[in-house]
Amino acid sequence: MLDRPFFISLLSLNFIQLLWLFAYKKILSFRETMILSAILTVQFIVGAFTDDHFITLLLIPFFLLQFFFQVRKVQNWVVPALFLSFENAIVLLSWLLTLDIWDILFINHLIDAETYSIYLKLFIFLQQFVFYLLLLFANYLNKRFNITTTIHLLPKKYRLLSVLLLIFLFVTITLQQFSVSEGYSDSFFYSTFIIICFTAFLSWNILLIVKRQNEQQYINILNKKYEQEREKINRSNEFRHDYKQLLIGLTSYLELNDTQQALHLLHTIIDYSNSLLTPNLYKTISVIHNPPIQGLLTSFLKSCSDKDIQLKITITEKLTDIDMNIVDFIRCFSILLDNAYEAVQETELKMIEIAITGDQNFVKVAVKNTYTADKDISLQSLLQNNFSTKEKHQGKGLYILAKLIDNYKKASYQIAKKDSFFIVSFSVPKLSEPLLISK
C-alpha cells in the first residue's frame, strides 16, 4: 500500500497544482494563492519526512482559508462550498482511476507485493496524467460556458445549502478514505460515486439558475431598447406631422422681420428635435457581451435617469476577454460609478461620461464627472483609507480600488482633474483567448 508520507505529499502536490492551474485568477488572487500554497508546501515537506497521520490536519486551515477568501469576495457561501466539492471531486476521480484501485487490489490480495511495487511508479505517473487531463477538461468547460464568471452572480447566499454541502462532503470523503485504507471496495466506489455525481448535479443546477438570470437580464435590455426606439418613432411621427407647419410659422416671422420670435421658434424646434437625436443608451450597452456588467450599467442608467443626470456612454469592447476576476472588475467599476453619481449631486451641471475602450492588449474603463471645484484636495489624499470629501461617508471607495488593482500585475489606474471634470480610470490586460459567453 502507498506509504503514508508519500500519500500526504502527493495529495498536497495535487492541491497545489489545482490552485495554480485552475483557481488562480479565476477564483483566487495572487496573494491568496500564495498563502494557500505555503500551507500545502509545509504539509508536502513535513509529510515527506514523517509518518504522523495528523499532518493531514493541515488541510483543515487550507480549506477554511480558501472558503473564507472566496466568501469575502463573492458575498455568498454556495460558490466556495461548491468549489471545495469540485476540487475534491477532481482529486478523488484522478486517484479512483489509478492509485486507489491499485491499493484496493493489493489489500484484497489480488496482486502480490512484488507486482504492486513494480508498477507503483507507473500508477503514480498515471495519476498525474489523469489529473492533468481532468484539469484541462475543467478549464475547457470554464472557457466554453464561462463558469467562474456566471457562478459568482447567484442572486441568493444559500447558506443552509452550503453548510449541508460541506457536511456531506466531509462525511463522504472520510468514508472514502477509510474504505481505501481498509480495502472496502464497495463502500469506496459508492462514496466516490456520490461525491462526483452530487457535485456535477449541483453545479449543473446552479449554472442553470445563473443562465436563466443572465437571459432575463438580456431580455430586459432588449425590452428597454425596444421601448426607447418605439418612443422615438412616435415622436418622429408627431414631429413630421408638425414640421411643415413650424417651418411655415418660421418663414412668416422672417418675412415680418420679427427675428426675436423667429429665434424663439427656431430654438423650440431644436429642443424638440434633440430628443429624436439622443442616442439609445440601452443599444450602446448591448455592445457588451458580459451580462453582469450589462446589468450594472443598466441599473446605473436608470438611477441617472431618475435624477436627471446627463449621461454619455461610449463602448467599443465586448468585455469577454478581461484578464481579471469578474467580481473584482465589477467592484472596481461600481466604485467609479458610485463616486461619480455622488459627486454630481453637489453640482449645478450634472454630467457623467463613461468610456469602455481598448486595444489589442488592454481594456480601459474611464468615468468622467462634473464636481465642485472649490474643494482644494490633493489627488493623493483621495487614495487614503477613510478619507472622504462627503459628510458621514466612510471614504473607502478609491482606497479599495487601488488595493484591488494592485492585486493584478499588469493592471493600472489613474486619477486626474481636467477643466471642470474629475476623471478616474483603470486598465486591465486582455486574455490571450477570449471567453465564450452565452446569453
Side-chain angles (χ1 to χ4, degrees):
M1 187 175 175
L2 196 65
D3 293 339
R4 189 184 301 277
F6 192 82
F7 162 76
I8 294 172
S9 296
L10 186 57
L11 187 63
S12 302
L13 178 63
N14 285 163
F15 281 117
I16 291 175
Q17 293 166 328
L18 200 147
L19 281 178
W20 289 101
L21 297 178
F22 185 83
Y24 174 53
K25 288 188 178 181
K26 300 181 184 70
I27 298 173
L28 299 170
S29 67
F30 176 79
R31 178 173 171 271
E32 293 165 347
T33 308
M34 285 296 295
I35 293 173
L36 295 173
S37 298
I39 296 174
L40 292 173
T41 302
V42 170
Q43 183 179 7
F44 177 85
I45 296 173
V46 176
F49 296 101
T50 180
D51 195 28
D52 191 347
H53 64 277
F54 287 108
I55 193 63
T56 57
L57 294 178
L58 276 175
L59 285 176
I60 295 177
F62 166 74
F63 288 134
L64 288 177
L65 270 178
Q66 188 176 198
F67 185 82
F68 169 75
F69 287 151
Q70 295 179 47
V71 167
R72 186 180 60 176
K73 182 174 293 186
V74 303
Q75 299 299 313
N76 71 56
W77 288 27
V78 71
V79 172
L82 186 61
F83 183 73
L84 290 180
S85 179
F86 164 77
E87 67 180 2
N88 277 282
I90 290 286
V91 172
L92 288 177
L93 187 57
S94 66
W95 283 68
L96 163 68
L97 301 173
T98 54
L99 290 171
D100 284 342
I101 288 181
W102 197 236
D103 280 345
I104 289 175
L105 291 176
F106 175 67
I107 292 172
N108 287 288
H109 306 293
L110 296 175
I111 55 174
D112 55 38
E114 183 180 357
T115 303
Y116 177 85
S117 299
I118 291 174
Y119 292 100
L120 181 59
K121 291 182 179 180
L122 172 63
F123 275 87
I124 292 173
F125 170 78
L126 288 176
Q127 189 277 328
Q128 285 290 293
F129 180 72
V130 172
F131 184 73
Y132 275 108
L133 285 181
L134 291 173
L135 282 181
L136 287 174
F137 183 64
N139 277 306
Y140 165 76
L141 291 179
N142 182 60
K143 288 183 179 180
R144 178 66 181 85
F145 299 104
N146 199 31
I147 297 171
T148 53
T149 296
T150 55
I151 204 171
H152 286 147
L153 308 172
L154 288 172
K156 298 179 182 179
K157 296 187 177 182
Y158 299 103
R159 288 186 176 178
L160 179 60
L161 176 63
S162 304
V163 171
L164 293 176
L165 174 59
L166 291 174
I167 294 174
F168 169 81
L169 185 64
F170 175 78
V171 172
T172 48
I173 288 178
T174 302
L175 175 62
Q176 195 261 3
Q177 291 300 317
F178 176 76
S179 302
V180 172
S181 61
E182 298 298 327
Y184 299 149
S185 57
D186 291 341
S187 58
F188 163 73
F189 287 113
Y190 183 67
S191 58
T192 305
F193 178 79
I194 289 177
I195 293 172
I196 295 171
C197 290
F198 184 76
T199 302
F201 173 78
L202 189 60
S203 302
W204 177 254
N205 280 276
I206 289 176
L207 285 176
L208 288 178
I209 293 173
V210 176
K211 184 179 180 182
R212 181 179 178 184
Q213 183 184 358
N214 290 343
E215 290 174 347
Q216 189 62 46
Q217 173 65 42
Y218 182 62
I219 292 171
N220 289 338
I221 291 179
L222 289 179
N223 286 334
K224 294 287 186 181
K225 285 169 57 181
Y226 170 73
E227 290 173 4
Q228 202 169 74
E229 292 293 343
R230 186 177 63 176
E231 185 178 354
K232 275 191 176 183
I233 292 172
N234 291 336
R235 287 183 181 179
S236 178
N237 291 334
E238 293 173 3
F239 184 70
R240 184 174 58 183
H241 180 267
D242 298 334
Y243 188 62
K244 186 176 182 180
Q245 300 301 322
L246 291 171
L247 289 180
I248 293 173
L250 181 61
T251 303
S252 300
Y253 285 129
L254 292 174
E255 289 175 349
L256 295 173
N257 290 324
D258 191 348
T259 56
Q260 186 174 359
Q261 290 295 330
L263 285 172
H264 177 72
L265 182 59
L266 182 60
H267 286 307
T268 302
I269 295 173
I270 292 173
D271 290 340
Y272 190 83
S273 61
N274 274 342
S275 62
L276 301 177
L277 300 175
T278 301
N280 189 331
L281 295 182
Y282 289 103
K283 187 175 182 179
T284 304
I285 292 173
S286 67
V287 172
I288 298 173
H289 288 185
N290 197 312
I293 302 174
Q294 275 188 344
L296 177 64
L297 276 174
T298 303
S299 176
F300 185 74
L301 175 54
K302 185 178 183 304
S303 298
C304 290
S305 178
D306 293 341
K307 293 291 185 178
D308 294 325
I309 298 173
Q310 298 180 43
L311 186 62
K312 180 181 178 182
I313 301 178
T314 303
I315 298 174
T316 61
E317 293 291 321
K318 297 180 180 180
L319 299 183
T320 57
D321 53 356
I322 50 176
D323 191 9
M324 176 184 270
N325 182 280
I326 186 63
V327 175
D328 288 342
F329 186 91
I330 290 176
R331 289 179 69 190
C332 291
F333 198 8
S334 296
I335 289 170
L336 268 59
L337 296 178
D338 291 342
N339 283 356
Y341 183 81
E342 292 175 0
V344 298
Q345 306 298 324
E346 303 175 358
T347 63
E348 293 183 6
L349 178 61
K350 296 178 171 60
M351 181 181 295
I352 298 175
E353 296 183 12
I354 302 170
I356 301 175
T357 56
D359 53 30
Q360 292 182 348
N361 300 315
F362 288 88
V363 170
K364 182 178 181 180
V365 177
V367 177
K368 295 172 57 177
N369 62 271
T370 52
Y371 73 103
T372 305
D374 57 353
K375 296 180 178 179
D376 188 16
I377 300 170
S378 67
L379 296 178
Q380 191 63 33
S381 61
L382 294 173
L383 297 173
Q384 296 176 7
N385 191 17
N386 297 322
F387 178 86
S388 177
T389 60
K390 311 172 191 71
E391 295 182 1
K392 298 180 180 179
H393 198 275
Q394 291 184 345
K396 292 183 178 292
L398 293 179
Y399 172 76
I400 295 175
L401 171 70
K403 285 189 65 177
L404 290 171
I405 295 297
D406 287 343
N407 288 329
Y408 297 88
K409 291 184 178 179
K410 296 183 180 180
S412 61
Y413 64 91
Q414 290 182 333
I415 303 174
K417 295 178 183 178
K418 186 176 181 181
D419 299 328
S420 58
F421 284 92
F422 183 77
I423 308 167
V424 184
S425 63
F426 67 92
S427 299
V428 296
K430 289 184 176 181
L431 293 168
S432 56
E433 296 181 8
L435 298 176
L436 300 174
I437 300 180
S438 57
K439 296 179 180 177

